[in-house]
Amino acid sequence: MRPINSKITKIIEETPSIRTFRFDTSLDDAQPGQFVMVWVRGVDEVPMGCSFKNGITVQKVGDATSRLFEMKEGDSVGLRGPFGKGFTLPAKDENILIIAGGVGVAPLGPLADEAISVGAKVTTILGARTASELVFEQRFSEAGDVHLTTDDGSAGTCGFVTTVLADMDVSEYDRICVCGPEIMMFNVLKMLEEKGVHDRAEFSLHRYFKCAIGVCGACCMDHEGLRVCKDGPVLNGSLLLDSEFGNYKRSSSSQRVKV
Amino acid sequence: MVKITGIEFRNPTILASGIMGTTGASLVRMANSGAGAVVTKSIGPEPKAGHPNPSMVKLECGFLNAMGLPNPSYADFDNEIKIAKEGADVPVIASIFGGNAEEFVRVAEGLADSKPDAFELNVSCPHAEGYGATIGTDSCMVESITAAVCDVVDVPVWVKLTPNVTDIKSIGKAAENGGAAAVVAINTLRGMAIDINSGYPILGNRFGGLSGSAVKPVAIKCVYDLYEALEIPVIGVGGVSTWEDAVEMIMAGASAVQIGSAVHEGVEVFADIATGIEQFLQNNGYAGVEDITGLAHEVI
């Protein structure tokens, strides 16, 4: 597909470094966890988890996101998608645990919305470095219980999402849905493996994407050659054990770099 | 079983270069999905990040891409070939590129320890300045580079040709004269798409190469012409996504077919096409692929 010309209708400053951009384009068939390629013309095109059917939630990290942060309401970008496989959709009366770190909230927000709409029960562990960096606190609260955690203790538990997770009885959850920095997700996977429930967990991964449509192989993971852009970005924990996850990834030139 | 340039393939479908060939693990996955052989991503002398995105878009008629030869360099890639060789039960062909004969030789020698079953010289990428088609449109350079690589390796050398030339036969001849064991035709056709909302060319590199169904008739004609002009085998590639496409390509003169963009529809494409070809041969009383290779030349 060609990029859809999408006008920015609203910019919400979520934290000092994270903004939500809403568009006049709504990808109504987007499932929670799927992503769009956001073309900032003349700069680059980057993958972003859909935080709304018509929106993305972005942290300023590189050239494309920096240019995006200079944009105003009324400016436009090109959108392609939705692409990839998202989270398993919640069913009525299921018990879902969401674990979100930093801007990792982006694909999990719509999952929480979907869970309430079908009558599933949601508990969220929401983590950030500091209180002012917490995103979608109210959105997750509307879906169920929220356990806050910050690295500096400025809100909720002082520590990491794993600090909260360690004290939880995870066996009561049908599914555990995770997104955040890879080291955080890796530590969650290890903890869930110890508790014997890693196959109930789904992780939304980040890798360098070129084609984004499952052809070029730039985002393939060892050792199964799974394409993060098409077989993922959401992958079951059982597929990630004994993989490169948490150890290394590939750069734009496909060289291995440590996570 | 198909034998080309002395190498045995379990079936005549081959993973094309540039597709799922960046890591050893992904090459193994394609072999396990049914490919009769796999070709790596093109590897060069230095690490290269490639062009900015968008680098591949699906259009109404095919795919347009300008990856820009991203690769980790031969020094970092020999381990991936070793992984592919250990894990895949099919031949592994190393696609290589360089800006001149010395660079091609350096890459080929650098990868020799990982023991690829053949080398495929990329003198046909349409959108990397100083590489690919810049070289592959010049028959003198094609011949000298092919000869230089043949001199230093002890496995067959294939040369992948660009269709973006006036006469592909003369370039094919140059490869043959240089010692190539086979030619591979075709690489993508130069193309471009523009976003009418902004006027921006869509690809980060502005232009790129067209692949997919749209290029199949061009590929068929190139294979047909090369089969007539050359003594060495022709491996067909361009727009093959079904077994019927593959049979058509073989009847034009291909000894085997490579499959690229069609992986988009699913990695099962190799097994599906290989089974379809086999069934077609059986149903029509042919003993093997060689019975229909170039059939379109004989009936007239």
Side-chain angles (χ1 to χ4, degrees):
Chain A
M1 68 186 292
R2 287 167 185 260
I4 306 165
N5 187 48
S6 305
K7 196 184 282 185
I8 299 170
T9 54
K10 198 168 185 192
I11 300 173
I12 302 134
E13 193 155 321
E14 305 283 1
T15 80
S17 67
I18 297 172
R19 286 181 194 169
T20 292
F21 296 83
R22 302 292 284 261
F23 302 106
D24 63 353
T25 298
S26 183
L27 301 169
D28 292 331
D29 54 345
Q31 303 286 339
Q34 285 192 300
F35 69 95
V36 284
M37 291 302 285
V38 182
W39 180 31
V40 183
R41 296 176 181 110
V43 184
D44 206 352
E45 187 193 42
V46 288
M48 291 286 163
C50 302
S51 57
F52 298 91
K53 302 249 187 215
N54 67 344
I56 54 172
T57 299
V58 182
Q59 186 160 33
K60 192 157 92 168
V61 288
D63 294 345
T65 49
S66 294
R67 176 72 191 92
L68 197 57
F69 269 54
E70 289 166 11
M71 287 186 168
K72 309 269 181 297
E73 289 170 4
D75 290 344
S76 67
V77 298
L79 295 180
R80 290 195 293 150
F83 291 139
K85 290 200 171 65
F87 292 101
T88 303
L89 292 177
K92 193 175 183 322
D93 297 329
E94 275 187 337
N95 207 2
I96 310 291
L97 176 62
I98 286 175
I99 305 177
V103 76
V105 295
L108 291 166
L111 182 71
D113 298 346
E114 174 77 17
I116 327 170
S117 73
V118 299
K121 185 169 178 285
V122 176
T123 304
T124 303
I125 306 175
L126 180 60
R129 282 197 303 271
T130 186
S132 65
E133 292 288 340
L134 288 163
V135 183
F136 293 166
E137 186 181 342
Q138 191 187 337
R139 191 175 182 186
F140 289 115
S141 299
E142 285 166 10
D145 292 340
V146 177
H147 301 272
L148 295 181
T149 166
T150 50
D151 298 5
D152 64 0
S154 53
T157 304
C158 181
F160 307 114
V161 293
T162 43
T163 316
V164 177
L165 183 64
D167 293 333
M168 274 186 167
D169 177 11
V170 287
S171 65
E172 67 186 62
Y173 296 102
D174 297 297
R175 214 159 16 262
I176 302 151
C177 304
V178 193
C179 188
E182 187 152 328
I183 289 299
M184 177 207 104
M185 292 199 287
F186 182 66
N187 288 330
V188 168
L189 174 64
K190 286 283 152 206
M191 193 173 275
L192 296 177
E193 186 191 8
E194 280 165 25
K195 295 175 186 241
V197 293
H198 56 273
D199 56 349
R200 291 188 208 174
E202 295 180 335
F203 297 81
S204 176
L205 269 64
H206 333 284
R207 279 296 178 270
Y208 181 74
F209 288 175
K210 285 293 282 184
C211 80
I213 54 175
V215 178
C216 76
C219 64
C220 280
M221 290 184 70
D222 289 344
H223 302 288
E224 299 300 324
L226 290 168
R227 300 162 294 182
V228 174
C229 75
K230 189 146 182 176
D231 302 310
V234 175
L235 292 168
N236 188 282
S238 58
L239 295 172
L240 297 175
L241 291 177
D242 303 321
S243 76
E244 67 179 44
F245 182 62
N247 295 304
Y248 61 88
K249 56 185 180 178
R250 309 267 174 171
S251 68
S252 54
S253 60
S254 301
Q255 289 180 298
R256 289 186 188 192
V257 287
K258 214 172 149 35
V259 168
Chain B
M1 194 69 84
V2 179
K3 195 170 183 181
I4 307 165
T5 67
I7 308 167
E8 285 193 344
F9 304 83
R10 67 178 173 206
N11 70 58
T13 70
I14 304 172
L15 171 73
S17 177
I19 314 293
M20 294 292 286
T22 307
T23 70
S26 60
L27 289 164
V28 172
R29 183 176 176 198
M30 294 302 101
N32 292 341
S33 302
V38 292
V39 185
T40 70
K41 174 91 193 142
S42 290
I43 301 302
E46 305 293 341
K48 209 167 181 300
H51 298 313
N53 282 344
S55 50
M56 186 163 186
V57 286
K58 187 176 185 207
L59 298 176
E60 309 73 32
C61 60
F63 296 85
L64 202 57
N65 93 81
M67 295 285 162
L69 296 170
N71 83 98
S73 84
Y74 65 88
D76 253 24
F77 197 72
D78 60 344
N79 192 44
E80 303 296 340
I81 294 182
K82 283 179 190 159
I83 291 169
K85 289 276 294 175
E86 277 165 24
D89 194 18
V90 301
V92 177
I93 292 106
S95 172
I96 62 172
F97 74 92
N100 52 45
E102 290 72 33
E103 285 187 356
F104 268 96
V105 164
R106 181 148 63 97
V107 178
E109 287 182 325
L111 292 175
D113 277 354
S114 58
K115 301 205 179 309
D117 294 276
F119 282 96
E120 181 180 289
L121 311 188
N122 178 351
V123 289
S124 42
C125 174
H127 49 72
E129 211 171 312
Y131 298 112
T134 315
I135 290 164
T137 49
D138 178 336
S139 53
C140 292
M141 282 189 83
V142 169
E143 183 170 340
S144 65
I145 286 170
T146 307
V149 176
C150 287
D151 267 355
V152 297
V153 302
D154 54 8
V155 291
V157 173
W158 301 355
V159 179
K160 186 165 178 179
L161 305 177
T162 173
N164 299 304
V165 288
T166 311
D167 177 19
I168 197 168
K169 287 180 287 186
S170 63
I171 308 291
K173 267 283 176 207
E176 187 173 74
N177 292 341
V183 292
V184 182
I186 57 176
N187 205 317
T188 52
L189 275 161
R190 206 169 282 144
M192 190 169 182
I194 292 165
D195 174 42
I196 62 166
N197 296 294
S198 63
Y200 272 87
I202 294 175
L203 291 177
N205 185 55
R206 294 174 292 141
F207 68 93
L210 182 68
S211 64
S213 300
V215 309
K216 196 186 77 176
V218 178
I220 297 285
K221 167 69 171 149
C222 289
V223 169
Y224 187 88
D225 288 352
L226 288 163
Y227 178 83
E228 211 158 65
L230 306 184
E231 302 296 319
I232 55 177
V234 182
I235 294 161
V237 52
V240 174
S241 64
T242 65
W243 68 263
E244 291 94 334
D245 295 335
V247 167
E248 186 181 355
M249 187 76 89
I250 293 165
M251 287 184 172
S255 299
V257 294
Q258 292 190 350
I259 295 160
S261 312
V263 167
H264 179 260
E265 307 311 322
V267 296
E268 312 76 29
V269 66
F270 299 100
D272 290 348
I273 291 179
T275 308
I277 296 171
E278 188 58 40
Q279 201 66 57
F280 175 82
L281 294 173
Q282 272 180 27
N283 291 349
N284 292 280
Y286 296 114
V289 169
E290 56 283 357
D291 282 5
I292 59 165
T293 297
L295 188 66
H297 298 259
E298 293 164 22
V299 291
I300 295 170

mmCIF file of all heavy atoms in Angstrom, chain A residues 181-215:
data_model
loop_
_atom_site.group_PDB
_atom_site.id
_atom_site.type_symbol
_atom_site.label_atom_id
_atom_site.label_comp_id
_atom_site.label_asym_id
_atom_site.label_seq_id
_atom_site.Cartn_x
_atom_site.Cartn_y
_atom_site.Cartn_z
ATOM 1 N N PRO A 181 11.121 -1.487 27.667
ATOM 2 C CA PRO A 181 12.504 -1.705 27.241
ATOM 3 C C PRO A 181 12.828 -3.203 27.250
ATOM 4 O O PRO A 181 12.296 -3.945 28.087
ATOM 5 C CB PRO A 181 13.323 -0.973 28.312
ATOM 6 C CG PRO A 181 12.369 -0.030 28.959
ATOM 7 C CD PRO A 181 11.019 -0.629 28.852
ATOM 8 N N GLU A 182 13.702 -3.643 26.328
ATOM 9 C CA GLU A 182 13.938 -5.086 26.186
ATOM 10 C C GLU A 182 14.491 -5.722 27.466
ATOM 11 O O GLU A 182 14.115 -6.847 27.819
ATOM 12 C CB GLU A 182 14.878 -5.368 25.007
ATOM 13 C CG GLU A 182 15.017 -6.862 24.735
ATOM 14 C CD GLU A 182 15.337 -7.192 23.291
ATOM 15 O OE1 GLU A 182 14.898 -6.458 22.387
ATOM 16 O OE2 GLU A 182 16.041 -8.196 23.064
ATOM 17 N N ILE A 183 15.368 -5.009 28.156
ATOM 18 C CA ILE A 183 15.928 -5.580 29.388
ATOM 19 C C ILE A 183 14.817 -5.800 30.418
ATOM 20 O O ILE A 183 14.772 -6.826 31.107
ATOM 21 C CB ILE A 183 17.036 -4.648 29.958
ATOM 22 C CG1 ILE A 183 18.274 -4.708 29.048
ATOM 23 C CG2 ILE A 183 17.401 -5.017 31.391
ATOM 24 C CD1 ILE A 183 18.925 -6.090 28.915
ATOM 25 N N MET A 184 13.879 -4.841 30.502
ATOM 26 C CA MET A 184 12.734 -5.017 31.399
ATOM 27 C C MET A 184 11.933 -6.261 31.007
ATOM 28 O O MET A 184 11.612 -7.111 31.846
ATOM 29 C CB MET A 184 11.835 -3.770 31.328
ATOM 30 C CG MET A 184 10.572 -3.883 32.163
ATOM 31 S SD MET A 184 9.196 -2.868 31.527
ATOM 32 C CE MET A 184 8.170 -4.135 30.774
ATOM 33 N N MET A 185 11.655 -6.376 29.682
ATOM 34 C CA MET A 185 10.843 -7.507 29.228
ATOM 35 C C MET A 185 11.570 -8.826 29.455
ATOM 36 O O MET A 185 10.967 -9.832 29.816
ATOM 37 C CB MET A 185 10.493 -7.352 27.733
ATOM 38 C CG MET A 185 9.553 -6.182 27.470
ATOM 39 S SD MET A 185 8.733 -6.313 25.870
ATOM 40 C CE MET A 185 10.056 -5.944 24.751
ATOM 41 N N PHE A 186 12.898 -8.795 29.265
ATOM 42 C CA PHE A 186 13.693 -10.018 29.457
ATOM 43 C C PHE A 186 13.633 -10.460 30.920
ATOM 44 O O PHE A 186 13.456 -11.644 31.221
ATOM 45 C CB PHE A 186 15.140 -9.745 29.021
ATOM 46 C CG PHE A 186 16.034 -10.948 29.133
ATOM 47 C CD1 PHE A 186 15.828 -12.064 28.333
ATOM 48 C CD2 PHE A 186 17.091 -10.968 30.029
ATOM 49 C CE1 PHE A 186 16.656 -13.180 28.424
ATOM 50 C CE2 PHE A 186 17.926 -12.075 30.126
ATOM 51 C CZ PHE A 186 17.706 -13.182 29.324
ATOM 52 N N ASN A 187 13.739 -9.472 31.838
ATOM 53 C CA ASN A 187 13.664 -9.810 33.260
ATOM 54 C C ASN A 187 12.277 -10.340 33.629
ATOM 55 O O ASN A 187 12.155 -11.255 34.451
ATOM 56 C CB ASN A 187 14.024 -8.589 34.120
ATOM 57 C CG ASN A 187 15.519 -8.280 34.031
ATOM 58 O OD1 ASN A 187 16.337 -9.178 33.831
ATOM 59 N ND2 ASN A 187 15.870 -7.009 34.146
ATOM 60 N N VAL A 188 11.250 -9.784 32.987
ATOM 61 C CA VAL A 188 9.886 -10.293 33.214
ATOM 62 C C VAL A 188 9.788 -11.731 32.722
ATOM 63 O O VAL A 188 9.267 -12.612 33.420
ATOM 64 C CB VAL A 188 8.840 -9.394 32.514
ATOM 65 C CG1 VAL A 188 7.460 -10.066 32.498
ATOM 66 C CG2 VAL A 188 8.760 -8.025 33.184
ATOM 67 N N LEU A 189 10.335 -11.985 31.510
ATOM 68 C CA LEU A 189 10.271 -13.345 30.946
ATOM 69 C C LEU A 189 10.964 -14.345 31.873
ATOM 70 O O LEU A 189 10.437 -15.434 32.143
ATOM 71 C CB LEU A 189 10.923 -13.373 29.555
ATOM 72 C CG LEU A 189 11.052 -14.759 28.898
ATOM 73 C CD1 LEU A 189 9.686 -15.376 28.626
ATOM 74 C CD2 LEU A 189 11.841 -14.672 27.587
ATOM 75 N N LYS A 190 12.139 -13.963 32.381
ATOM 76 C CA LYS A 190 12.879 -14.870 33.272
ATOM 77 C C LYS A 190 12.060 -15.176 34.523
ATOM 78 O O LYS A 190 11.985 -16.316 34.984
ATOM 79 C CB LYS A 190 14.224 -14.232 33.676
ATOM 80 C CG LYS A 190 15.240 -14.243 32.558
ATOM 81 C CD LYS A 190 15.850 -15.629 32.400
ATOM 82 C CE LYS A 190 16.298 -15.874 30.986
ATOM 83 N NZ LYS A 190 16.329 -17.269 30.601
ATOM 84 N N MET A 191 11.452 -14.136 35.076
ATOM 85 C CA MET A 191 10.656 -14.318 36.298
ATOM 86 C C MET A 191 9.439 -15.219 36.015
ATOM 87 O O MET A 191 9.107 -16.108 36.807
ATOM 88 C CB MET A 191 10.205 -12.938 36.791
ATOM 89 C CG MET A 191 9.660 -12.953 38.196
ATOM 90 S SD MET A 191 9.347 -11.268 38.778
ATOM 91 C CE MET A 191 10.951 -10.805 39.371
ATOM 92 N N LEU A 192 8.804 -15.002 34.851
ATOM 93 C CA LEU A 192 7.629 -15.811 34.506
ATOM 94 C C LEU A 192 8.040 -17.253 34.213
ATOM 95 O O LEU A 192 7.287 -18.188 34.504
ATOM 96 C CB LEU A 192 6.893 -15.209 33.306
ATOM 97 C CG LEU A 192 6.284 -13.821 33.549
ATOM 98 C CD1 LEU A 192 5.637 -13.294 32.268
ATOM 99 C CD2 LEU A 192 5.269 -13.831 34.681
ATOM 100 N N GLU A 193 9.228 -17.432 33.667
ATOM 101 C CA GLU A 193 9.722 -18.788 33.406
ATOM 102 C C GLU A 193 9.920 -19.536 34.731
ATOM 103 O O GLU A 193 9.533 -20.700 34.860
ATOM 104 C CB GLU A 193 11.048 -18.724 32.632
ATOM 105 C CG GLU A 193 11.549 -20.093 32.208
ATOM 106 C CD GLU A 193 12.987 -20.067 31.676
ATOM 107 O OE1 GLU A 193 13.655 -19.025 31.780
ATOM 108 O OE2 GLU A 193 13.424 -21.115 31.180
ATOM 109 N N GLU A 194 10.501 -18.808 35.709
ATOM 110 C CA GLU A 194 10.696 -19.427 37.033
ATOM 111 C C GLU A 194 9.364 -19.848 37.635
ATOM 112 O O GLU A 194 9.254 -20.858 38.313
ATOM 113 C CB GLU A 194 11.399 -18.439 37.974
ATOM 114 C CG GLU A 194 12.901 -18.370 37.766
ATOM 115 C CD GLU A 194 13.516 -17.137 38.430
ATOM 116 O OE1 GLU A 194 12.922 -16.628 39.407
ATOM 117 O OE2 GLU A 194 14.573 -16.695 37.940
ATOM 118 N N LYS A 195 8.333 -19.031 37.355
ATOM 119 C CA LYS A 195 7.013 -19.340 37.906
ATOM 120 C C LYS A 195 6.240 -20.301 36.994
ATOM 121 O O LYS A 195 5.087 -20.638 37.269
ATOM 122 C CB LYS A 195 6.222 -18.041 38.101
ATOM 123 C CG LYS A 195 6.845 -17.112 39.155
ATOM 124 C CD LYS A 195 6.120 -15.774 39.241
ATOM 125 C CE LYS A 195 6.839 -14.806 40.173
ATOM 126 N NZ LYS A 195 6.036 -14.376 41.315
ATOM 127 N N GLY A 196 6.880 -20.688 35.889
ATOM 128 C CA GLY A 196 6.275 -21.689 34.998
ATOM 129 C C GLY A 196 5.112 -21.192 34.167
ATOM 130 O O GLY A 196 4.281 -21.991 33.719
ATOM 131 N N VAL A 197 5.017 -19.886 33.932
ATOM 132 C CA VAL A 197 3.869 -19.366 33.169
ATOM 133 C C VAL A 197 4.309 -18.549 31.943
ATOM 134 O O VAL A 197 3.523 -17.761 31.407
ATOM 135 C CB VAL A 197 2.940 -18.497 34.053
ATOM 136 C CG1 VAL A 197 2.261 -19.342 35.112
ATOM 137 C CG2 VAL A 197 3.712 -17.347 34.682
ATOM 138 N N HIS A 198 5.558 -18.747 31.484
ATOM 139 C CA HIS A 198 6.054 -17.933 30.364
ATOM 140 C C HIS A 198 5.237 -18.138 29.091
ATOM 141 O O HIS A 198 5.161 -17.257 28.248
ATOM 142 C CB HIS A 198 7.531 -18.235 30.099
ATOM 143 C CG HIS A 198 7.804 -19.677 29.833
ATOM 144 N ND1 HIS A 198 8.043 -20.582 30.839
ATOM 145 C CD2 HIS A 198 7.837 -20.367 28.673
ATOM 146 C CE1 HIS A 198 8.223 -21.774 30.310
ATOM 147 N NE2 HIS A 198 8.090 -21.674 28.998
ATOM 148 N N ASP A 199 4.601 -19.323 28.966
ATOM 149 C CA ASP A 199 3.812 -19.550 27.744
ATOM 150 C C ASP A 199 2.464 -18.833 27.783
ATOM 151 O O ASP A 199 1.739 -18.822 26.791
ATOM 152 C CB ASP A 199 3.625 -21.056 27.498
ATOM 153 C CG ASP A 199 3.001 -21.756 28.683
ATOM 154 O OD1 ASP A 199 2.907 -21.128 29.765
ATOM 155 O OD2 ASP A 199 2.602 -22.928 28.539
ATOM 156 N N ARG A 200 2.148 -18.201 28.909
ATOM 157 C CA ARG A 200 0.939 -17.375 28.958
ATOM 158 C C ARG A 200 1.273 -15.907 28.660
ATOM 159 O O ARG A 200 0.394 -15.052 28.676
ATOM 160 C CB ARG A 200 0.331 -17.403 30.361
ATOM 161 C CG ARG A 200 -0.249 -18.730 30.743
ATOM 162 C CD ARG A 200 -0.979 -18.549 32.058
ATOM 163 N NE ARG A 200 -0.996 -19.802 32.796
ATOM 164 C CZ ARG A 200 -1.467 -19.914 34.028
ATOM 165 N NH1 ARG A 200 -1.958 -18.844 34.664
ATOM 166 N NH2 ARG A 200 -1.465 -21.079 34.628
ATOM 167 N N ALA A 201 2.555 -15.633 28.455
ATOM 168 C CA ALA A 201 2.979 -14.239 28.301
ATOM 169 C C ALA A 201 3.207 -13.879 26.838
ATOM 170 O O ALA A 201 3.692 -14.709 26.052
ATOM 171 C CB ALA A 201 4.260 -14.006 29.091
ATOM 172 N N GLU A 202 2.844 -12.666 26.474
ATOM 173 C CA GLU A 202 3.073 -12.153 25.120
ATOM 174 C C GLU A 202 3.847 -10.839 25.228
ATOM 175 O O GLU A 202 3.493 -9.970 26.034
ATOM 176 C CB GLU A 202 1.745 -11.927 24.403
ATOM 177 C CG GLU A 202 0.985 -13.229 24.173
ATOM 178 C CD GLU A 202 -0.345 -13.034 23.451
ATOM 179 O OE1 GLU A 202 -0.940 -11.941 23.524
ATOM 180 O OE2 GLU A 202 -0.788 -14.002 22.818
ATOM 181 N N PHE A 203 4.887 -10.730 24.392
ATOM 182 C CA PHE A 203 5.783 -9.576 24.464
ATOM 183 C C PHE A 203 5.759 -8.816 23.140
ATOM 184 O O PHE A 203 5.856 -9.437 22.075
ATOM 185 C CB PHE A 203 7.214 -10.049 24.742
ATOM 186 C CG PHE A 203 7.375 -10.741 26.071
ATOM 187 C CD1 PHE A 203 7.024 -12.083 26.210
ATOM 188 C CD2 PHE A 203 7.857 -10.052 27.171
ATOM 189 C CE1 PHE A 203 7.158 -12.726 27.437
ATOM 190 C CE2 PHE A 203 7.996 -10.687 28.400
ATOM 191 C CZ PHE A 203 7.648 -12.032 28.538
ATOM 192 N N SER A 204 5.663 -7.506 23.208
ATOM 193 C CA SER A 204 5.720 -6.694 21.990
ATOM 194 C C SER A 204 7.162 -6.236 21.795
ATOM 195 O O SER A 204 7.704 -5.490 22.606
ATOM 196 C CB SER A 204 4.790 -5.487 22.118
ATOM 197 O OG SER A 204 4.926 -4.672 20.979
ATOM 198 N N LEU A 205 7.785 -6.726 20.708
ATOM 199 C CA LEU A 205 9.223 -6.517 20.515
ATOM 200 C C LEU A 205 9.573 -5.320 19.627
ATOM 201 O O LEU A 205 8.760 -4.883 18.818
ATOM 202 C CB LEU A 205 9.830 -7.777 19.889
ATOM 203 C CG LEU A 205 10.357 -8.805 20.889
ATOM 204 C CD1 LEU A 205 9.237 -9.353 21.739
ATOM 205 C CD2 LEU A 205 11.068 -9.923 20.158
ATOM 206 N N HIS A 206 10.812 -4.878 19.785
ATOM 207 C CA HIS A 206 11.354 -3.821 18.919
ATOM 208 C C HIS A 206 12.557 -4.393 18.190
ATOM 209 O O HIS A 206 13.411 -4.994 18.810
ATOM 210 C CB HIS A 206 11.854 -2.617 19.716
ATOM 211 C CG HIS A 206 11.191 -2.417 21.031
ATOM 212 N ND1 HIS A 206 9.940 -1.895 21.154
ATOM 213 C CD2 HIS A 206 11.617 -2.694 22.284
ATOM 214 C CE1 HIS A 206 9.610 -1.851 22.425
ATOM 215 N NE2 HIS A 206 10.602 -2.338 23.141
ATOM 216 N N ARG A 207 12.615 -4.186 16.889
ATOM 217 C CA ARG A 207 13.800 -4.518 16.112
ATOM 218 C C ARG A 207 13.901 -3.495 14.981
ATOM 219 O O ARG A 207 12.927 -2.796 14.683
ATOM 220 C CB ARG A 207 13.709 -5.933 15.493
ATOM 221 C CG ARG A 207 14.057 -7.087 16.461
ATOM 222 C CD ARG A 207 15.501 -7.037 16.921
ATOM 223 N NE ARG A 207 15.879 -8.068 17.881
ATOM 224 C CZ ARG A 207 15.782 -7.935 19.216
ATOM 225 N NH1 ARG A 207 15.276 -6.838 19.755
ATOM 226 N NH2 ARG A 207 16.200 -8.897 20.017
ATOM 227 N N TYR A 208 15.071 -3.416 14.351
ATOM 228 C CA TYR A 208 15.229 -2.494 13.231
ATOM 229 C C TYR A 208 14.447 -3.033 12.036
ATOM 230 O O TYR A 208 14.663 -4.170 11.626
ATOM 231 C CB TYR A 208 16.715 -2.326 12.877
ATOM 232 C CG TYR A 208 16.940 -1.362 11.752
ATOM 233 C CD1 TYR A 208 16.810 0.010 11.951
ATOM 234 C CD2 TYR A 208 17.245 -1.807 10.472
ATOM 235 C CE1 TYR A 208 16.983 0.897 10.915
ATOM 236 C CE2 TYR A 208 17.423 -0.928 9.427
ATOM 237 C CZ TYR A 208 17.287 0.425 9.658
ATOM 238 O OH TYR A 208 17.451 1.307 8.609
ATOM 239 N N PHE A 209 13.527 -2.232 11.498
ATOM 240 C CA PHE A 209 12.715 -2.656 10.358
ATOM 241 C C PHE A 209 13.184 -1.946 9.093
ATOM 242 O O PHE A 209 13.436 -0.738 9.117
ATOM 243 C CB PHE A 209 11.233 -2.278 10.554
ATOM 244 C CG PHE A 209 10.492 -3.095 11.587
ATOM 245 C CD1 PHE A 209 9.177 -2.773 11.915
ATOM 246 C CD2 PHE A 209 11.080 -4.174 12.221
ATOM 247 C CE1 PHE A 209 8.475 -3.510 12.858
ATOM 248 C CE2 PHE A 209 10.383 -4.919 13.166
ATOM 249 C CZ PHE A 209 9.072 -4.587 13.486
ATOM 250 N N LYS A 210 13.267 -2.715 7.990
ATOM 251 C CA LYS A 210 13.472 -2.066 6.680
ATOM 252 C C LYS A 210 12.141 -2.143 5.930
ATOM 253 O O LYS A 210 11.431 -1.165 5.830
ATOM 254 C CB LYS A 210 14.580 -2.769 5.874
ATOM 255 C CG LYS A 210 15.999 -2.498 6.344
ATOM 256 C CD LYS A 210 16.488 -1.071 6.159
ATOM 257 C CE LYS A 210 16.895 -0.721 4.745
ATOM 258 N NZ LYS A 210 17.448 0.661 4.699
ATOM 259 N N CYS A 211 11.803 -3.344 5.408
ATOM 260 C CA CYS A 211 10.610 -3.411 4.555
ATOM 261 C C CYS A 211 9.318 -3.338 5.364
ATOM 262 O O CYS A 211 8.329 -2.808 4.888
ATOM 263 C CB CYS A 211 10.638 -4.657 3.681
ATOM 264 S SG CYS A 211 10.132 -6.184 4.502
ATOM 265 N N ALA A 212 9.297 -3.895 6.567
ATOM 266 C CA ALA A 212 8.131 -3.903 7.470
ATOM 267 C C ALA A 212 6.992 -4.809 7.004
ATOM 268 O O ALA A 212 5.946 -4.857 7.637
ATOM 269 C CB ALA A 212 7.601 -2.489 7.715
ATOM 270 N N ILE A 213 7.186 -5.525 5.876
ATOM 271 C CA ILE A 213 6.100 -6.365 5.363
ATOM 272 C C ILE A 213 6.524 -7.832 5.239
ATOM 273 O O ILE A 213 5.916 -8.602 4.511
ATOM 274 C CB ILE A 213 5.554 -5.823 4.025
ATOM 275 C CG1 ILE A 213 6.684 -5.635 2.995
ATOM 276 C CG2 ILE A 213 4.796 -4.527 4.241
ATOM 277 C CD1 ILE A 213 6.198 -5.226 1.611
ATOM 278 N N GLY A 214 7.595 -8.207 5.933
ATOM 279 C CA GLY A 214 7.946 -9.628 6.022
ATOM 280 C C GLY A 214 8.730 -10.187 4.863
ATOM 281 O O GLY A 214 8.762 -11.398 4.674
ATOM 282 N N VAL A 215 9.380 -9.326 4.092
ATOM 283 C CA VAL A 215 10.095 -9.818 2.911
ATOM 284 C C VAL A 215 11.621 -9.762 3.088
ATOM 285 O O VAL A 215 12.316 -10.734 2.808
ATOM 286 C CB VAL A 215 9.686 -9.015 1.648
ATOM 287 C CG1 VAL A 215 10.479 -9.497 0.440
ATOM 288 C CG2 VAL A 215 8.196 -9.164 1.388
#
